[in-house]
Amino acid sequence: MSEPQWELPLTVQSAEETHALGAALGAVLEAGDLVILTGELGAGKTTFTQGLGEGLGVRSGIISPTFVLVRIHPNLPDGPRPGGPDLVHVDAYRLESPAEIDDIDLENTLDSTVTVVEWGRGRVEHLSDSLLDVELHRPLVPSSDAAGGVLDFDTDDDDEPRTVLIRGFGPRWAEQPLLPDAVKGNS
């Protein structure tokens, strides 16, 4: 993939803010959009996707598709975006190559849905000429070694800050999406 059209660095203070950022972004997504989520375990990828689903107006109950690889969440006809796209949620962690991505046949639904791929970097860029790349990172805890810190894997702490970097690639994302000031004004 070429250089991004734009980059938006953000800090979210809690799981609730991660969800709200996802919802704000989900509200501007359209059928055919591809979103790649990257971040270590516990960084908030699924929480962010739950927010995307809310913003898209799809059925609630989004959970990580770790063991099934792909989950489809239908648009709600009586939701906030009736007639909007369904959400296809993919976990590519166990997939080794773009060929394995091709085997799950995302091309069949890509044009009519919003497709979100956790752990998709380096695996799904060939599916579209435009995509959003979203990195979520947990804080580092200071350590005495030369690496400067270690990840804080306290899974009971949903209210620790996360850094988020959103990058837009391709013609669909020539312009940065308009997000509410409360979401984008914290960079």
Side-chain angles (χ1 to χ4, degrees):
M1 188 110 315
S2 61
E3 292 296 312
Q5 302 280 7
W6 49 266
E7 292 186 354
L8 178 61
L10 301 163
T11 300
V12 291
Q13 299 298 321
S14 64
E16 183 177 283
E17 286 186 16
T18 302
H19 183 99
L21 175 60
L25 190 58
V28 302
L29 294 177
E30 301 172 356
D33 286 340
L34 175 62
V35 180
I36 297 173
L37 297 181
T38 303
E40 56 274 341
L41 291 172
K45 295 180 297 296
T46 299
T47 300
F48 185 84
T49 303
Q50 290 167 344
L52 283 176
E54 180 182 307
L56 284 166
V58 302
R59 185 185 314 149
S60 63
I62 293 173
I63 60 173
S64 180
T66 301
F67 299 105
V68 296
L69 299 181
V70 179
R71 292 187 189 276
I72 299 173
H73 303 278
N75 180 269
L76 295 171
D78 58 349
R81 290 181 63 182
D86 295 342
L87 172 65
V88 174
H89 186 196
V90 180
D91 186 321
Y93 184 77
R94 289 180 181 77
L95 303 177
E96 299 286 327
S97 69
E100 287 183 294
I101 291 289
D102 292 343
D103 288 345
I104 60 175
D105 206 20
L106 293 175
E107 298 85 16
N108 258 348
T109 59
L110 197 61
D111 290 341
S112 61
T113 66
V114 168
T115 303
V116 175
V117 184
E118 293 187 28
W119 307 100
R121 189 179 286 159
R123 295 177 174 102
V124 299
E125 290 85 351
H126 68 285
L127 295 174
S128 180
D129 64 349
S130 293
L131 62 88
L132 287 177
D133 181 88
V134 180
E135 283 185 41
L136 297 104
H137 294 286
R138 298 186 71 158
L140 293 177
V141 175
S143 84
S144 58
D145 67 13
V150 295
L151 286 174
D152 175 6
F153 281 109
D154 179 0
T155 56
D156 294 329
D157 189 1
D158 285 338
D159 288 333
E160 63 187 9
R162 306 299 203 265
T163 57
V164 181
L165 179 61
I166 304 172
R167 295 182 190 98
F169 292 88
R172 160 76 170 104
W173 298 107
E175 299 292 325
Q176 183 175 312
L178 297 176
L179 299 175
D181 288 339
V183 171
K184 68 178 182 177
N186 67 4
S187 57

